[in-house]
Amino acid sequence: MSESSDELAAGYRRFRSERWPAAKAEYEALAAHGQRPHTLVVACSDSRADPALIFDTAPGQLFVVRNVANLVPPYEPDGLLHGVSAALEFGVKVLGVSRIVVMGHAHCGGVNAMLNGAPDNCQDFVAPWVRQGAPVVRRVAEAVEPDQVEQAAEEAVVRLSIENLRTFPWIAEREAAGELTLTGLHFGIADGILRALAGPGRFTAL
């Protein structure tokens, strides 16, 4: 590994010396028998909101999809490249997860880009990606006080992604049959509080 990645190498050495001995059998079982995660998490790529840390999970428990602003696009099987949709299809149809969680978070740069525009040097991919959420967050922003805009917009994106999940027929069918649960969450980076979508427009602390 290059000198610039010394922190990663040091972290790996800690993993091998401190965690691997206790987890070795668990990893061997996962390698031999395959993964059977119970939950698929759609989360933001933000380095401050890591689902595995927040939920204190063991290897093999979560199937995680991370992208800018934890967005789920609508169902659109057009033969083009759809990374989030591909992960959803694999997680639901192949792995058989029983829950899909969409987890937004405080101070989300992707949501800020929906409100104020993507950075000038991120027009190739970030700008068109966040554009799908811009109408929703801007409507919400007009309906709340200025000091509530950021959080209200982040919550709106979680709700949008949950709504878009239901446009996938094989997700909607499983949810209707009671085989799949959809959960919306919002994580507070500064206070560590996780809040769940409990009804239209309402998030409550867990």
Side-chain angles (χ1 to χ4, degrees):
M1 301 178 79
S2 69
E3 188 173 338
S4 63
S5 60
D6 278 353
E7 289 185 10
L8 296 182
Y12 165 70
R13 287 192 289 271
R14 289 193 300 273
F15 167 76
R16 283 291 294 179
S17 63
E18 299 170 15
R19 298 185 186 181
W20 177 257
K24 183 174 181 291
E26 191 172 14
Y27 275 101
E28 288 175 343
L30 287 168
H33 305 296
Q35 60 171 325
R36 296 300 298 175
H38 51 71
T39 299
L40 187 157
V41 180
V42 181
C44 185
S45 299
D46 193 296
S47 60
R48 302 165 294 179
D50 183 349
L53 289 175
I54 293 167
F55 298 117
D56 191 27
T57 54
Q61 293 184 325
L62 300 182
F63 189 66
V64 181
V65 188
R66 300 183 73 173
N67 64 54
V68 173
N70 43 269
L71 279 165
V72 174
Y75 179 70
E76 194 173 10
D78 53 14
L80 300 179
L81 304 177
H82 296 277
V84 175
S85 300
L88 289 170
E89 184 173 45
F90 190 81
V92 171
K93 292 185 175 182
V94 178
L95 299 178
V97 297
S98 59
R99 171 183 283 186
I100 299 176
V101 171
V102 176
M103 187 183 75
H105 67 91
H107 314 304
C108 181
V111 175
N112 181 67
M114 295 176 201
L115 289 166
N116 302 303
D120 291 340
N121 59 351
C122 294
Q123 296 299 306
D124 290 348
F125 300 104
V126 173
W129 176 254
V130 300
R131 199 174 295 136
Q132 62 188 304
V136 169
V137 300
R138 287 173 183 164
R139 282 198 300 272
V140 168
E142 293 171 356
V144 299
E145 296 299 319
D147 63 342
Q148 299 174 339
V149 167
E150 184 180 54
Q151 183 168 309
E154 291 158 358
E155 294 173 352
V157 172
V158 172
R159 291 194 298 271
L160 173 64
S161 288
I162 294 288
E163 292 168 7
N164 285 345
L165 282 171
R166 294 188 171 115
T167 67
F168 290 74
W170 27 269
I171 289 178
E173 290 165 3
R174 285 167 172 79
E175 183 185 28
E179 300 169 357
L180 184 63
T181 302
L182 307 185
T183 302
L185 300 173
H186 181 273
F187 175 66
I189 291 174
D191 59 20
I193 294 175
L194 195 63
R195 296 159 51 253
L197 179 60
R202 190 164 58 89
F203 283 72
T204 58
L206 294 179

